[in-house]
Amino acid sequence: MATAGPIRINSASASKFDSKNLEIKTKSIEQTLVPLVTQITTLVNHREKVGKKSEKTCKAIERVGQAVNLAIERFVSVGEAIGDNNADIKADMFDACREARLAGENIAKLTDITYDESGQVMSPADKSAMVRAARGLLSAVTRVLLLADRVVIKQIQAAKLKVIESLNKIENTKTFTEFVQCFSQFGKEMVELAHLTGDRQNDLKDGKMKAKMAAARAILERSTMMLLTSCKTCLRHPDCSPAKETRNGVFVNMRHALGLIDEVINDGYTQPVQNGVTPSRNTHNALQELLDLVETARVTQADKSSRDKMLYVLDTVIDTTQDFTDSAYTSHEHRERILALRDRARTDLRSLANVGTAMEKRISKQHEQELEAYITQMCKTLTDLKKQLQNTALDQASEIFRSNDDQDLLANLKEAGSLGDLDRMEEHSGKFSEHSEQLQEASRLLGHIAGTAPLAITADYTENNIKCLGPQIVALATTLAIHPSSKIAKESLDVFCDTWESNINDLSLLVKEINDCCQGKTTEKQVYLSLPRPGYIPLIKHGSTPKCIKPAKLDAEEQAKIAKLGLEMKLMTSELDAETDKWSDPDNDIIKRAKNMSSMAYSMYLFTRGEGMLKTTQDLFKQAEYFGEEGIKLFRSLKQFSAQVPECSLRTDLASFIDQIPSYCQQLLFITKSPTMGKIATFNKVDNTIQETQNLLSTISGIVPVCYVLAAKTPTPQTSDSYDPWCSQILVGPTRSTTSSSCHAAEDGGDVKTDAYNAAYSVM
């Protein structure tokens, strides 16, 4: 049987689609073609066997051909139905279905059994005829699938246009009542767009396109809350120019994200080619390309063409490394090493080029030895330069998280705004802007050393998000300073600061992933086990088998509530991961159990997005039961630890946290083991399970940092040699507060925390 590998279609029979049109970009289309490829491979390969075929073999081949033809007939019936419902692709779809039907019939004819004059069975058609028929069939079927994929793209575009139209209406609202109505509609449309783009992201094969879609969806997710509060602030203070500036910035970011979605679904990204070399997005790619060219010089003998390419790529390397040497945050030692390695690379390439020029005139044994020596030397220089750039970028990022200035800077801005002190506001705004520039610089350098295209793209968008959000926070703080008694301005500033902290969390995770990539480690987050497509809960009665699963459609309010709870849980797991990563002793019992519980909670978050290994509500309840049992084990470990800590105020705080764990665990276990029947009861049980999980997780997130401080001060057999918070490794950033989950009543405008707002908030 043929194995399922990358499928490429290239056939002249696709009259209206060239080879680029037939490129398969989604996993669903590729997986659909695999069984057909397997069957066709069987038909093609039968001619490779030497000798006359028996009647039994010929009949088996005939059955395969007939099965293929029958499957194609059913397939094109579905395709024609899709064409009937979509007038814009109807003509192309019917043409592709006609070709597929003819190709299927041709396959059946070629595999028919025929007899010669003596009555002996004749082998089916020769291999060349079968290959031509198979290519025609695959080409036609692929055309049908790609045309059907256009329908999916059209659905995403239609949902995107609805969101754009709603954004335009929100932008032009003048009253709170009108704003509430527009935002309600906007929320429903955002839910649908979130579902469609999430499905598309999971289906894409190209890692770069997936990273772009993820970046766009993250911007829209976080901008939804900022849009709500910034619009409320602007409506409350219509004459305040900083408030208008903030609101307009949110609209710009959301429209850019929607444009990015359009780019991804239409695959509009192309890279120009200069001098026969594809320009590199970052320094890592340029260095890797240069290393490959230098290695190839053993074959090309550094001829003029390869010398020109190497010189061009080296110039690209030098240009991109200027971001490292020109950075004000790069240490003098790192800068000097980079400059020295760049000069050495130029010298090595010059020596290599001289040998290549000499070998064009006359090849000798001495020249071959010199060529090999210079190739080895230059490869070492380039490898050293790559490591030096990695160290520079990672050290700069590590320094930012070691200083942990974000919370202090944000607190100073909030305080100055609340006091209405514009002079202090200007002073703290300058410091915050400088810190923002440092974060942007770190993101840019991380993008240069990113070992994969998705990581480089993520770094680019992280830099851009920080660049856009910084001035918005300053503008909102200024708004609060102008109107220090405004609750709505304070609420808006809190939301933007929470978003800032979420972006810093993203940056800290990116640092860890890039560091792991540089060390050759995998960066996939672990989960223990973990709702089908958002909006559906597979109802399953306790004690029944998975065969009884019956999906139940949730309404918009229920979808939004589950999605919002899931996102809050994800933020809590990020906080807990950030704290546990500070501990240098991975075998510490408290940390092991806290990490286990974080992974379990993360799998439950994936369930709310329709992802992961938890497929049914029964899976979710079982996972929550394990979560509660693990919490009881953690409680015992914490009690032992607390008994070893000397009397102090922190120990009292720790004891109050620890005493909360048993009640949360018992409540969670009671909920998961209670029987349910019907959609409403099951939904309520899911809701309560996630909320109780959040309560327990929140308590643990408060316990771990207290244990960290106490363990560092308390030399015990369990913890005495286990704590070095900055142990020469790039660690996940410091604890960040979770995004605010509540929205206060609008001043003079009523409460705009509607069900539609819940539907729009954090569903992506």
Side-chain angles (χ1 to χ4, degrees):
M1 179 175 288
T3 56
I7 298 175
R8 297 178 177 84
I9 307 298
N10 185 11
S11 172
S13 66
S15 57
K16 294 187 180 180
F17 291 81
D18 57 23
S19 59
K20 183 177 180 181
N21 292 122
L22 291 178
E23 181 185 354
I24 298 171
K25 299 183 176 72
T26 59
K27 292 180 283 188
S28 58
I29 293 180
E30 185 173 74
Q31 291 166 0
T32 302
L33 287 173
V34 167
L36 180 60
V37 171
T38 302
Q39 295 279 29
I40 290 177
T41 302
T42 301
L43 297 178
V44 171
N45 289 345
H46 86 276
R47 291 299 303 171
E48 293 183 349
K49 298 178 181 179
V50 180
K52 189 175 180 179
K53 303 294 183 298
S54 67
E55 184 174 356
K56 182 178 179 180
T57 301
C58 292
K59 286 183 177 180
I61 294 169
E62 183 182 41
R63 286 195 298 272
V64 173
Q66 291 171 348
V68 169
N69 185 33
L70 183 61
I72 294 301
E73 185 61 38
R74 290 196 296 265
F75 174 79
V76 298
S77 298
V78 176
E80 288 170 343
I82 293 173
D84 284 331
N85 294 328
N86 297 272
D88 54 330
I89 65 167
K90 183 174 181 178
D92 286 338
M93 178 64 84
F94 273 68
D95 183 55
C97 288
R98 180 182 56 80
E99 288 188 13
R101 182 178 281 112
L102 290 175
E105 293 172 353
N106 192 24
I107 290 285
K109 289 178 182 178
L110 290 173
T111 56
D112 280 346
I113 296 178
T114 56
Y115 297 89
D116 58 18
E117 296 177 354
S118 62
Q120 296 294 320
V121 175
M122 297 176 62
S123 295
D126 58 54
K127 184 175 181 178
S128 59
M130 187 64 71
V131 168
R132 288 193 299 271
R135 285 178 175 173
L137 179 60
L138 282 175
S139 177
V141 170
T142 303
R143 285 184 59 200
V144 174
L145 291 171
L146 292 176
L147 285 166
D149 192 54
R150 287 192 195 176
V151 178
V152 177
I153 293 174
K154 187 173 70 171
Q155 290 175 341
I156 298 175
Q157 288 174 327
K160 178 181 68 71
L161 290 174
K162 288 181 181 178
V163 170
I164 292 174
E165 184 179 349
S166 292
L167 278 176
N168 293 337
K169 290 179 180 178
I170 291 173
E171 192 172 20
N172 295 321
T173 55
K174 302 298 181 183
T175 65
F176 271 102
T177 303
E178 186 183 1
F179 170 71
V180 169
Q181 293 173 348
C182 293
F183 200 89
S184 174
Q185 184 63 30
F186 168 77
K188 297 174 184 177
E189 289 158 359
M190 279 289 289
V191 169
E192 181 60 24
L193 181 63
H195 292 167
L196 292 172
T197 52
D199 291 343
R200 189 67 177 180
Q201 179 184 330
N202 292 333
D203 197 27
L204 288 169
K205 291 172 57 183
D206 191 314
K208 294 184 292 186
M209 294 296 107
K210 291 185 75 167
K212 286 188 174 186
M213 182 67 87
R217 297 178 74 241
I219 292 170
L220 290 174
E221 172 194 323
R222 290 171 180 170
S223 296
T224 300
M225 185 72 165
M226 295 191 292
L227 178 67
L228 174 71
T229 56
S230 62
C231 286
K232 286 167 55 181
T233 305
C234 207
L235 288 170
R236 182 67 180 84
H237 308 290
D239 298 327
C240 183
S241 56
K244 289 182 179 179
E245 176 187 334
T246 303
R247 189 197 71 152
N248 293 340
V250 175
F251 278 112
V252 169
N253 291 342
M254 294 189 78
R255 289 184 175 119
H256 282 168
L258 292 168
L260 184 58
I261 288 175
D262 197 56
E263 176 186 326
V264 172
I265 62 178
N266 292 303
D267 200 14
Y269 181 78
T270 55
Q271 266 192 323
V273 177
Q274 302 174 8
N275 299 342
V277 180
T278 302
S280 302
R281 282 179 54 88
N282 57 16
T283 309
H284 176 274
N285 290 347
L287 280 168
Q288 191 58 52
E289 191 170 357
L290 184 54
L291 276 167
D292 293 341
L293 288 170
V294 173
E295 293 280 2
T296 308
R298 291 188 173 93
V299 179
T300 63
Q301 295 182 336
D303 58 15
K304 188 177 187 308
S305 175
S306 62
R307 291 198 301 271
D308 290 344
K309 288 182 179 180
M310 285 188 286
L311 181 60
Y312 172 78
V313 180
L314 179 59
D315 289 340
T316 303
V317 170
I318 292 173
D319 288 342
T320 55
T321 54
Q322 286 181 356
D323 282 342
F324 291 81
T325 56
D326 293 348
S327 172
Y329 307 102
T330 300
S331 68
H332 176 73
E333 181 183 1
H334 283 316
R335 184 178 291 108
E336 289 300 314
R337 288 179 181 175
I338 293 171
L339 292 172
L341 288 168
R342 277 188 354 190
D343 292 341
R344 194 195 308 171
R346 277 196 179 280
T347 303
D348 292 346
L349 181 57
R350 192 178 301 114
S351 301
L352 182 60
N354 290 338
V355 175
T357 303
M359 293 182 73
E360 286 180 343
K361 300 176 182 178
R362 182 175 64 88
I363 299 177
S364 66
K365 187 69 173 177
Q366 180 182 355
H367 287 151
E368 291 177 349
Q369 293 174 349
E370 289 178 351
L371 179 68
E372 180 61 32
Y374 286 130
I375 288 174
T376 303
Q377 182 176 328
M378 187 164 187
C379 286
K380 183 179 183 306
T381 300
L382 295 176
T383 302
D384 291 344
L385 178 58
K386 181 190 291 187
K387 291 180 180 178
Q388 180 57 50
L389 295 174
Q390 291 173 354
N391 292 337
T392 302
L394 292 171
D395 283 355
Q396 192 174 125
S398 177
E399 182 61 34
I400 292 174
F401 291 113
R402 186 177 292 113
S403 60
N404 190 20
D405 293 332
D406 294 279
Q407 292 184 347
D408 291 339
L409 291 170
L410 293 174
N412 290 336
L413 283 174
K414 291 179 182 179
E415 183 182 4
S418 299
L419 296 174
D421 191 336
L422 289 172
D423 292 334
R424 284 184 61 191
M425 175 61 60
E426 185 176 355
E427 176 188 349
H428 292 309
S429 295
K431 294 179 180 179
F432 180 76
S433 298
E434 183 180 347
H435 179 65
S436 176
E437 290 176 3
Q438 185 178 4
L439 289 168
Q440 294 169 44
E441 194 80 47
S443 301
R444 189 178 305 120
L445 299 191
L446 288 170
H448 276 304
I449 67 168
T452 65
L455 285 176
I457 290 171
T458 303
D460 288 343
Y461 284 103
T462 300
E463 176 190 354
N464 187 66
N465 292 341
I466 293 172
K467 182 179 180 181
C468 294
L469 189 57
Q472 292 175 338
I473 289 177
V474 172
L476 268 178
T478 304
T479 301
L480 181 59
I482 297 172
H483 306 281
S485 62
S486 173
K487 294 180 181 179
I488 199 168
K490 184 178 184 302
E491 174 200 349
S492 189
L493 180 58
D494 288 340
V495 168
F496 276 70
C497 288
D498 287 340
T499 305
W500 175 270
E501 292 177 354
S502 296
N503 281 313
I504 301 304
N505 265 339
D506 289 346
L507 179 59
S508 68
L509 292 173
L510 179 66
V511 172
K512 188 174 186 299
E513 289 175 353
I514 290 178
N515 184 42
D516 289 344
C517 185
C518 291
Q519 297 177 8
K521 300 177 183 177
T522 58
T523 58
E524 190 173 338
K525 182 176 176 69
Q526 291 184 343
V527 293
Y528 265 73
L529 285 177
S530 265
L531 217 112
R533 182 183 184 275
Y536 291 88
I537 288 186
L539 298 181
I540 179 168
K541 297 196 301 185
H542 289 275
S544 60
T545 66
K547 294 180 181 179
C548 300
I549 294 174
K550 179 182 179 182
K553 185 73 172 67
L554 302 182
D555 60 34
E557 183 180 354
E558 291 170 337
Q559 294 176 37
K561 189 172 185 180
I562 292 296
K564 182 172 178 288
L565 288 172
L567 182 70
E568 290 172 351
M569 187 182 296
K570 179 198 174 188
L571 293 173
M572 288 183 184
T573 62
S574 298
E575 285 187 18
L576 185 55
D577 288 343
E579 289 298 337
T580 55
D581 279 341
K582 289 182 181 180
W583 296 60
S584 58
D585 181 11
D587 295 324
N588 181 285
D589 193 59
I590 294 174
I591 295 309
K592 284 169 64 176
R593 299 200 182 282
K595 286 184 175 181
N596 289 349
M597 297 181 74
S598 175
S599 294
M600 292 181 189
Y602 186 80
S603 69
M604 296 167 74
Y605 155 71
L606 292 179
F607 178 89
T608 67
R609 292 174 55 90
E611 302 171 4
M613 297 177 64
L614 300 180
K615 302 301 182 184
T616 68
T617 50
Q618 180 68 11
D619 293 340
L620 175 70
F621 301 147
K622 181 57 69 174
Q623 181 75 98
E625 185 179 339
Y626 292 151
F627 186 87
E629 291 171 353
E630 190 74 1
I632 294 172
K633 295 176 183 177
L634 176 61
F635 168 77
R636 294 168 184 158
S637 299
L638 287 168
K639 292 293 284 185
Q640 293 176 1
F641 172 79
S642 178
Q644 300 169 358
V645 176
E647 199 65 47
C648 63
S649 59
L650 274 179
R651 179 182 175 181
T652 305
D653 294 338
L654 178 62
S656 64
F657 273 121
I658 293 175
D659 291 339
Q660 298 175 23
I661 294 179
S663 60
Y664 285 137
C665 292
Q666 291 171 7
Q667 182 66 17
L668 183 59
L669 292 173
F670 173 78
I671 292 172
T672 57
K673 293 178 180 180
S674 61
T676 56
M677 182 72 69
K679 173 195 166 183
I680 296 177
T682 302
F683 171 78
N684 290 335
K685 184 173 178 179
V686 170
D687 183 16
N688 293 334
T689 298
I690 295 176
Q691 289 195 34
E692 287 300 324
T693 302
Q694 277 185 292
N695 293 337
L696 181 53
L697 192 65
S698 177
T699 301
I700 295 167
S701 296
I703 288 174
V704 171
V706 176
C707 289
Y708 179 80
V709 175
L710 289 172
K713 297 178 179 179
T714 308
T716 65
Q718 184 182 2
T719 62
S720 58
D721 299 322
S722 303
Y723 304 97
D724 183 5
W726 303 109
C727 52
S728 68
Q729 302 232 354
I730 303 302
L731 300 175
V732 172
T735 305
R736 308 288 171 186
S737 63
T738 57
T739 304
S740 173
S741 60
S742 63
C743 167
H744 300 294
E747 295 177 8
D748 302 329
D751 190 353
V752 299
K753 185 183 178 184
T754 61
D755 293 339
Y757 158 64
N758 276 334
Y761 170 54
S762 302
V763 297
M764 315 218 17

